[in-house]
Amino acid sequence: MEVTFKIFRYNPEKDERGNYVTYKIDAHPNDRVLDVLEHIKGKEDGSLSFRRSCAHGICGSDAMRINGRNMLACKTLIRDVGDHITVEPLLGLKVAKDLIVDMEPFFENYRKMLPYLINDSPLPEDGKERLQSPEQRARFDETTKCILCAACTTACPSFWANDEYYGPAALMTAHRFIFDSRDEGAEARLEILSETNGAVRCHTAYNCTEACPRGIHITQAIGELKLAMVTGNID
Ligand code: SF4
Ligand code: FES
């Protein structure tokens, strides 16, 4: 089938502003958007810039707007998005070139959440491990699935309105550790979440949940964080 790709192009060294370039490509309905981008880069225009690494929905590097929705190019089939496809960079982060955005502000917010296990207590006598029951592990299982693709944060109207908001992805990182029974840093993280640009900026628009390629119930998890902030209960 012939597919028309309209791709946002911007080279800060040459262009004052971005523009759209159209490519007509012969593709198979089961091709992924990433396959077509690779084809364009390899055969038609080597200057086209986009991020990708694993090509299998694991690394989170190829989130972009496909027909107006945040998606991973490697997980999006042509047959699911039609034969006229517009591809644009994520909203709310500065475009570095074409489909590549500057992820540094995103990762800065991630680092604010102390994204590592905090536990200074001595290890149990018998051992080498801090044991956890299956139920305790299940409590934060969902938020361990985050691949830091930024699809949620850059789909969030609160983040568009105020890019100082830490954003849903950072909140998911906080959730992953706060509800981990082995961790002792919940108090510090809940304090960070209580800051002006923390969880209070979430107005439950649900855009994040819709955008997440890992199917994480982000809005619900943010609700759990808000409750923990009020009650101090992290069970
Ligand atoms: Fe991506 Fe989902 Fe993680 Fe947000 S929560 S960064 S959408 S994987
Ligand atoms: Fe790794 Fe798509 S290239 S998630």
Side-chain angles (χ1 to χ4, degrees):
M1 65 189 276
E2 187 184 80
V3 185
T4 303
F5 259 65
K6 190 172 139 193
I7 303 181
F8 180 86
R9 303 296 310 265
Y10 172 63
N11 180 347
E13 289 175 5
K14 291 202 311 211
D15 307 328
E16 271 186 29
R17 63 176 67 170
N19 63 90
Y20 290 87
V21 177
T22 299
Y23 304 86
K24 288 191 186 296
I25 303 294
D26 203 20
H28 190 277
N30 287 340
D31 282 342
R32 304 163 304 170
V33 168
L34 181 63
D35 297 324
V36 177
L37 292 176
E38 299 274 22
H39 173 85
I40 294 171
K41 186 171 177 64
K43 306 275 184 201
E44 312 241 340
D45 184 349
S47 69
L48 177 63
S49 301
F50 53 90
R51 281 196 187 98
R52 62 89 88 182
S53 182
C54 70
H56 290 286
I58 298 300
C59 72
S61 61
D62 64 340
M64 53 188 75
R65 265 185 305 152
I66 299 171
N67 286 349
R69 292 184 55 204
N70 286 0
M71 298 164 114
L72 295 179
C74 67
K75 282 190 77 180
T76 306
L77 299 180
I78 299 296
R79 67 169 188 226
D80 293 332
V81 283
D83 57 6
H84 281 71
I85 301 169
T86 302
V87 187
E88 299 162 295
L90 296 172
L91 284 176
L93 294 170
K94 199 168 160 239
V95 178
K97 187 168 187 285
D98 298 340
L99 303 173
I100 296 178
V101 292
D102 176 8
M103 294 286 282
E104 184 46 32
F106 175 82
F107 285 116
E108 198 182 314
N109 287 328
Y110 166 71
R111 289 190 293 268
K112 279 195 183 102
M113 300 300 140
L114 316 175
Y116 39 81
L117 195 84
I118 298 174
N119 191 332
D120 293 329
S121 302
L123 283 168
E125 269 176 30
D126 56 343
K128 302 148 195 161
E129 295 178 74
R130 300 185 193 283
L131 296 179
Q132 192 165 53
S133 70
E135 292 73 26
Q136 287 171 324
R137 176 61 178 77
R139 181 66 187 88
F140 63 99
D141 184 63
E142 182 146 310
T143 41
T144 64
K145 294 178 187 158
C146 175
I147 54 173
L148 294 171
C149 67
C152 55
T153 296
T154 59
C156 171
S158 298
F159 180 74
W160 298 335
N162 177 358
D163 63 7
E164 300 286 307
Y165 170 36
Y166 303 153
L171 270 51
M172 292 309 94
T173 301
H175 184 285
R176 181 257 170 269
F177 289 101
I178 286 172
F179 293 101
D180 185 334
S181 59
R182 301 163 301 177
D183 185 87
E184 294 177 345
E187 202 177 319
R189 292 194 192 89
L190 288 174
E191 208 163 298
I192 295 162
L193 292 181
S194 304
E195 292 169 0
T196 319
N197 294 313
V200 70
R201 293 227 177 259
C202 166
H203 298 302
T204 55
Y206 279 91
N207 285 24
C208 54
T209 304
E210 256 179 49
C212 180
R214 303 287 290 168
I216 299 172
H217 296 94
I218 301 174
T219 313
Q220 185 183 321
I222 295 176
E224 291 169 8
L225 290 171
K226 287 178 176 169
L227 194 62
M229 283 161 55
V230 175
T231 62
N233 186 350
I234 53 163
D235 289 339

